[in-house]
Amino acid sequence: PETAAALYDAFCDAERADEVLATVLTGADGAFCAGADLKAVAKRDADFSPPVKKHPQQAPMGPTRLLADRDAPEPFASLAKPLIAAIEGHAVAGGLELALMADMRVCSETAIFGVYCRRWGVPLIDGGTLRLPRIVGQGRAMDMILTGRAVDANEALSWGLANRVVKPGEARAAAVALAKEIARFPQACMRADRASAYAGWSLGLDDALKAEARRGAP
C-alpha cells in the first residue's frame, strides 16, 4: 500500500513538472509488477480501498484511476502526458492493470501478461475490465479475464497488447528512446489528439466529434 501511494504521488509530480514531456513506468530485477500485496489485502477483510490514501482519486494500485483527459478536475485527476510501460518479466494481476494505463507497452521477450489474481478470488478493480477489452477486443479480453492464463510477449504483440518487443534487458532503454521521440513533437497538438482518442470512448459520435474540434482548434 505504501508503494501504491508513492506511485500515485510520482505520477502527480510528473504532471506538475513542466519539463516532463513523457513518462516511462518500469519494474526492477527482471519483473514489471505482480500486483497488490495479497497478504496486506487479506488483513483488511475484503476491503479493497487503499489503506494508505493521498487523494480520493487514488486506486489500490495507486494511479490507475487517473484519467487521460487534462480537462478532468484538479488536483491531477488526469494524465495529460504520454505514458509508456517498459515491461520485463511478469506484468500480472494489478501489475497488468498498471501496464494497461500506458499509451504504449514496450516489452522484452521475457514479458508475461495475465490476470493471475483469478487464482485467488481477487477482482480487477484498477481498470482492468475496462482497459483490457478496449486494447485487445472483448473476446481476447475475456480469454484472459476468465481463464487467468499467461500471455507471452509474442502473443501480446499479435493482439496489440504489446506495441514493441525487444531483446531481454532492453525494454527500459527502448521505452526511454520512444518517449524522447514523442517528446520532440509539438506538445499542444499531440496532447489534444491523445485526449480526444481517450474521451471518445465515453461519448456518442456527435459529441465526440465536437469535443475533438474543441480540443484541436487552439
Side-chain angles (χ1 to χ4, degrees), residues 20-154:
V20 175
L21 302 182
T23 54
V24 172
L25 176 63
T26 192
D29 300 324
F32 181 75
C33 179
D37 181 343
L38 297 187
K39 292 181 179 179
V41 171
K43 292 177 182 177
R44 293 179 59 77
D45 298 323
D47 178 3
F48 286 94
S49 62
V52 179
K53 194 164 186 175
K54 301 294 186 75
H55 187 269
Q57 202 76 12
Q58 184 186 320
M61 293 299 298
T64 54
R65 292 179 189 156
L66 294 171
L67 307 177
D69 184 353
R70 197 67 175 95
D71 295 336
E74 298 286 2
F76 296 100
S78 64
L79 293 176
K81 301 171 184 179
L83 168 62
I84 301 167
I87 300 170
E88 302 272 356
H90 285 79
V92 297
L96 169 65
E97 294 180 289
L98 283 173
L100 295 174
M101 280 182 59
D103 301 296
M104 301 176 71
R105 281 153 296 281
V106 175
C107 306
S108 88
E109 295 169 350
T110 67
I112 297 289
F113 298 93
V115 185
Y116 280 19
C117 49
R118 180 63 54 242
R119 306 171 185 184
W120 293 282
V122 176
L124 294 170
I125 54 172
D126 279 83
T129 63
L130 305 175
R131 294 187 175 107
L132 187 60
R134 294 178 181 184
I135 293 169
V136 304
Q138 186 78 5
R140 286 167 171 164
M142 284 300 159
D143 185 346
M144 294 182 69
I145 291 170
L146 299 182
T147 70
R149 73 177 180 87
V151 173
D152 66 19
N154 289 329

